[in-house]
Amino acid sequence: MEFLLEIQTEELPPSHVRSAVEDLRDRFRKELAAAQIAAESLRLYSTCRRLTVLAEIPAGQPDRDMIVTGPPKANAYAADGSPTPAALGFARAKGVAVEALKVFTTDKGEYIGVRTAVRGKPASEILPGIIARLISSLTFPRMMRWGTGTFKFSRPLRGLLCLLGGKPLPFVFEGLTAGNWTAGHMLRSPEPFQVDSFASYRDGLRARGVVLDGEERKAAILAQIEARLAPLGAALHPDPALLDKLASDVECPFVIMGSFPEDYLQLPLEILSTAMREGQKLFSVVKGRKQLPLFLGVADTDADPKGFIQKGHERVLKARLADARFFWEQDRKTPLRKRAAGLKAVLFQEKLGSYEDKAQRLKKLVVYLCDKAGAKALAKDAATAAELCKADLLTDMVREFPALQGIVGGLYARAEGLPEDVARAIAEHYQPGSLEDDVPASLGGALLSLADKIDSIVGVVGIGIQTSGSSDPFGLRRNAQGVCKIILERKLNLPLPRLLDKAVNSYGDRLKQAPDEIRSTLMEFFAGRLRSIFERQGYRYDLINAALGAGVENILHASLRLKALDGLKSGREFEPFILMAKRINNIAGGQPAAPINAALLQEKAEKELYAAFVIVRDNTAPMLAKGDYVQAQKMAFRLQPLLDAFFTKVLVMAEEAKLRRARIGLLQGIKKILDPMADYSQVVVEGEKGKPTA
């Protein structure tokens, strides 16, 4: 049965559209699941003026049996088996004969009860309540009230359309009555029209100037841009975030091309493209890597016959470019090093000091990172970049275009003739801004970015501020994900605990939390961020648990460990080996540490196992040190047949104490080899699936 809901609103900001779509999807699924209605399909559509839910759902809840329990069995029957007044009263209250009562075993013991059939409610009866809760539960970064009501939303609601099986599903929400009416594009066809299905809804909107599907709008924008630029041999300066924003900002995309005076081409491409994007949402047009005096914009209309929109953009852009050129010329009159002296007057955080203090900490941290990354030759330039990387916060260019922080510092450094490694590190040190963003292309930029993010995370956590729920005022999660992404993509083999300790020490006595407490909190925090990244990459939850269970002291190795598990999981040796590893863990894990005394081993099976253990131990150690977890685990697989023989022919818990300790010591030695490879107890094998271990 087709279910269609459209929430019509006044114009929503693009960021609110994106968050609302995700919220609607998650919350609607949960509401349906709670109501025992299984959606066969669920799709979300959105424009800046409407949020649309399309689902295929059953006509109602399934009929089901329900068990109603009464008094405990011990109180319900006398010693001779006759029903007590408690049983008689319960049967009377439920309208059944006492003979119909049955005994049910629950977590609390045995109780008498009765099984009754419950008829499922139709979806038309359940959905109005779900929809009301759904709309009421949506939250946005900024919300507003209108009229005299107390209900809050991103923008005022203007209408509700709701169909179930092609028929209107009437209900009233905040004074709006849901029906089968909607309206076309606000300017082209605002008249309401009726629909009786999603097909008639989608086609009716299209005929009235609204492209419902965001991906279709994006494709339309790119097709129009291609048509405009192909004759010029030019291309769009890539900006996926702007394209996403524009596709969410219009219902009927129409691409406009305008121009600006060529004099402004003296400005770097980074500044030109930012000046166009910020505020006006315009694309830069390039040929090769050079900016052309052209821009592209997207309007929510189907034409600009008199060029009013184009001229409006040109007028505003000319003023913005004039400002940018003025800032470019004025800012460069003060060298970065001289400007950096002013950072002492700029507060980084009240309890963590100024940006000058931060720059000095970054200098020490990045030199340490250069050493650990095997890039000592880069240390001098990286230290210079650390000293200067925040100086552009004092420039007029960054005050006007905050998105240029770091980037413009790199441009000024290059213009001053500083080494290219310094300029690139400054320019890239804020990257990545998110998991979708690129990591720094240069090693210097990557190490300075790590230093900057680690310094911020350690400082904020060290003064007792932590993330909770959706609250993350200092961007700790984003910074931690940035750290993980840089380490993973650049394959940096870094000891995380020592890096954290180094950052803690650089703060001196400013931090409130004890160093051990900070390290412990952050190791858990980074494990959570890594888990989030691995889940986004589609790995099995139990393999993620196994990889992280072996520790996140080395983030790169945690990833290599997981990839090895994922690559080996389908092999015939994998599951038997996991079961054997779990058995070793169960036997040896809870025992006091015992030495391996090969001289005491008596049986052939245990002597052969010991000999194999020595070979595997000596060969896997260098493999693990360089992160070759695939070969290390394959080597460990060789213990499998010998362990089978050991457990078949040898009694581990022998009566003679010394022999027992020698055998436990051997198993503990094998466990010691396996522990750095993974926490195998977390891996779910056949027969355990569906029972999460974490």
Side-chain angles (χ1 to χ4, degrees):
M1 179 174 276
E2 184 181 272
F3 169 73
L4 175 63
L5 170 69
E6 182 198 58
I7 305 168
Q8 301 154 26
T9 76
E10 291 191 6
E11 199 160 317
L12 298 167
S15 62
H16 290 205
V17 173
R18 289 193 295 274
S19 69
V21 167
E22 292 307 312
D23 262 8
L24 274 173
R25 190 191 316 277
D26 291 345
R27 293 175 192 274
F28 191 52
R29 276 188 180 138
K30 289 176 182 173
E31 286 281 357
L32 289 179
Q36 298 183 318
I37 294 179
E40 295 176 14
S41 64
L42 175 62
R43 291 203 64 179
L44 276 292
Y45 299 90
S46 62
T47 73
C48 53
R49 300 187 189 92
R50 61 196 85 222
L51 303 168
T52 303
V53 180
L54 172 67
E56 195 66 32
I57 62 175
Q61 294 173 320
D63 296 339
R64 64 189 191 281
D65 286 343
M66 184 171 70
I67 296 173
V68 180
T69 55
K73 178 186 174 186
N75 297 339
Y77 298 105
D80 60 0
S82 61
T84 65
L88 293 169
F90 175 72
R92 190 166 52 251
K94 297 303 172 190
V96 298
V98 70
E99 293 77 13
L101 297 179
K102 297 184 181 303
V103 176
F104 295 96
T105 301
T106 72
D107 293 341
K108 297 178 181 178
E110 291 186 317
Y111 287 75
I112 63 164
V114 61
R115 189 187 300 272
T116 59
V118 178
R119 192 170 185 79
K121 294 181 181 178
S124 58
E125 188 176 321
I126 298 168
L127 285 170
I130 288 180
I131 295 167
R133 289 193 296 276
L134 197 63
I135 300 174
S136 301
S137 66
L138 294 180
T139 58
F140 301 90
R142 290 182 182 176
M143 301 177 76
M144 62 185 295
R145 287 195 294 264
W146 59 94
T148 57
T150 58
F151 174 70
K152 292 194 293 185
F153 205 73
S154 169
R155 297 291 184 274
L157 300 184
R158 287 299 176 232
L160 293 168
L161 177 150
C162 193
L163 298 180
L164 181 63
K167 296 180 180 176
L169 181 62
F171 64 89
V172 177
F173 180 78
E174 291 296 321
L176 298 172
T177 301
N180 59 346
W181 294 84
T182 186
H185 190 271
M186 183 180 67
L187 300 176
R188 292 181 56 190
S189 185
E191 303 81 16
F193 65 98
Q194 284 184 298
V195 301
D196 58 11
S197 66
F198 174 71
S200 67
Y201 167 74
R202 179 196 56 209
D203 296 344
L205 287 177
R206 187 186 299 280
R208 290 165 178 80
V210 177
V211 180
L212 183 63
D213 191 327
E215 290 302 314
E216 194 177 334
R217 290 195 299 274
K218 201 182 293 184
I221 292 171
L222 291 174
Q224 291 183 51
I225 288 174
E226 173 67 21
R228 293 268 189 165
L229 298 184
L232 303 175
L236 195 70
H237 182 55
D239 196 337
L242 179 57
L243 181 59
D244 286 344
K245 188 181 291 187
L246 287 169
S248 297
D249 211 24
V250 298
E251 292 196 313
C252 177
F254 178 74
V255 172
I256 292 164
M257 187 160 74
S259 62
F260 58 84
E262 294 191 13
D263 291 352
Y264 294 115
L265 293 178
Q266 298 168 354
L267 290 168
L269 173 60
E270 294 89 340
I271 293 177
L272 286 169
S273 61
T274 302
M276 292 183 209
R277 183 181 63 245
E278 301 296 311
Q280 283 184 270
K281 302 176 187 172
L282 300 176
F283 287 108
S284 297
V285 177
V286 295
K287 194 167 188 176
R289 289 190 54 81
K290 290 188 177 179
Q291 169 80 44
L292 298 181
L294 299 170
F295 65 83
L296 292 162
V298 178
D300 193 7
T301 183
D302 60 346
D304 183 25
K306 296 185 179 180
F308 288 155
I309 301 173
Q310 174 194 334
K311 289 172 184 171
H313 278 307
E314 287 176 345
R315 185 175 60 254
V316 176
L317 180 60
K318 186 178 176 182
R320 290 180 69 79
L321 292 180
D323 287 346
R325 184 167 63 185
F326 174 77
F327 299 144
W328 172 250
E329 292 170 351
Q330 292 299 313
D331 284 344
R332 286 185 297 149
K333 292 179 180 177
T334 305
L336 281 179
R337 193 170 291 282
K338 184 176 180 181
R339 197 179 289 279
L343 289 174
K344 67 178 67 172
V346 183
L347 202 61
F348 167 56
Q349 204 280 339
E350 184 180 0
K351 297 177 181 176
L352 300 178
S354 68
Y355 269 100
E356 186 189 55
D357 297 327
K358 182 177 178 73
Q360 293 305 314
R361 291 194 301 270
L362 296 187
K363 186 178 173 183
K364 295 176 184 174
L365 208 51
V366 79
V367 170
Y368 170 79
L369 283 166
C370 286
D371 181 42
K372 292 300 171 188
K376 287 185 179 177
L378 196 59
K380 183 181 175 184
D381 284 346
T384 303
E387 284 183 287
L388 303 179
C389 66
K390 302 299 180 186
D392 66 356
L393 294 175
L394 298 174
T395 63
D396 289 334
M397 186 73 82
V398 170
R399 288 195 188 98
E400 180 68 15
F401 303 109
L404 280 172
Q405 62 180 354
I407 296 171
V408 83
L411 292 172
Y412 289 158
R414 193 171 288 121
E416 289 178 22
L418 291 173
E420 181 61 18
D421 284 341
V422 174
R424 290 192 71 181
I426 292 173
E428 296 173 348
H429 86 279
Y430 285 107
Q431 292 177 243
S434 68
L435 282 179
E436 290 72 32
D437 199 6
D438 293 334
V439 303
S442 69
L443 181 57
L447 298 179
L448 184 54
S449 177
L450 283 179
D452 187 28
K453 290 173 172 53
I454 291 282
D455 175 80
S456 296
I457 294 168
V458 166
V460 172
V461 171
I463 57 175
I465 298 174
Q466 295 187 20
T467 58
S468 61
S470 59
S471 173
D472 188 12
F474 291 90
L476 297 186
R477 294 193 187 98
R478 185 181 66 247
N479 277 331
Q481 285 177 338
V483 169
C484 295
K485 186 175 170 73
I486 290 171
I487 289 176
L488 295 178
E489 293 196 13
R490 296 210 53 111
K491 296 182 171 47
L492 296 175
N493 195 347
L494 298 173
L496 183 60
R498 291 176 64 186
L499 179 56
L500 295 175
D501 288 346
K502 194 77 178 176
V504 169
N505 292 336
S506 70
Y507 272 100
D509 58 359
R510 287 184 184 275
L511 303 182
K512 185 174 73 174
Q513 309 288 332
D516 290 349
E517 191 177 349
I518 296 171
R519 190 193 317 115
S520 172
T521 300
L522 289 180
M523 292 302 288
E524 187 177 342
F525 184 62
F526 274 101
R529 294 303 92 203
L530 263 183
R531 177 184 302 283
S532 172
I533 291 172
F534 292 155
E535 287 174 350
R536 286 170 63 110
Q537 292 172 344
Y539 287 107
R540 261 172 45 182
Y541 78 91
D542 58 326
L543 299 186
I544 295 173
N545 290 338
L548 296 181
V552 294
E553 285 75 10
N554 187 313
I555 289 174
L556 176 63
H557 278 214
S559 171
L560 296 173
R561 202 180 288 133
L562 177 58
K563 288 178 180 175
L565 288 168
D566 188 64
L568 295 169
K569 69 179 186 294
S570 302
R572 61 183 175 80
E573 297 169 305
F574 188 71
E575 290 203 353
F577 180 77
I578 296 300
L579 293 172
M580 190 63 72
K582 289 184 177 189
R583 189 173 183 181
I584 294 171
N585 193 51
N586 291 338
I587 295 173
Q591 297 292 328
I596 303 175
N597 192 338
L600 292 177
L601 300 176
Q602 302 172 351
E603 305 293 337
K604 180 184 176 187
E606 59 189 347
K607 290 180 179 177
E608 289 178 347
L609 178 60
Y610 173 76
F613 155 74
V614 173
I615 294 171
V616 172
R617 180 193 61 192
D618 294 345
N619 282 278
T620 54
M623 294 173 183
L624 294 174
K626 65 180 183 181
D628 191 352
Y629 287 87
V630 173
Q631 291 306 318
Q633 292 202 41
K634 285 182 176 177
M635 175 67 75
F637 286 167
R638 298 182 184 181
L639 294 171
Q640 174 72 36
L642 297 163
L643 281 164
D644 279 337
F646 176 80
F647 284 122
T648 302
K649 299 177 180 176
V650 176
L651 179 62
V652 177
M653 296 300 177
E655 290 188 9
E656 205 276 307
K658 288 184 179 178
L659 178 59
R660 183 170 67 245
R661 281 171 53 79
R663 288 171 177 169
I664 289 174
L666 176 58
L667 292 179
Q668 288 179 338
I670 295 173
K671 181 176 180 297
K672 198 171 177 181
I673 294 175
L674 302 183
D675 282 349
M677 298 184 196
D679 180 358
Y680 292 109
S681 68
Q682 300 289 339
V683 180
V684 179
V685 297
E686 198 63 38
E688 297 178 323
K689 289 175 180 172
K691 299 177 182 177
T693 55

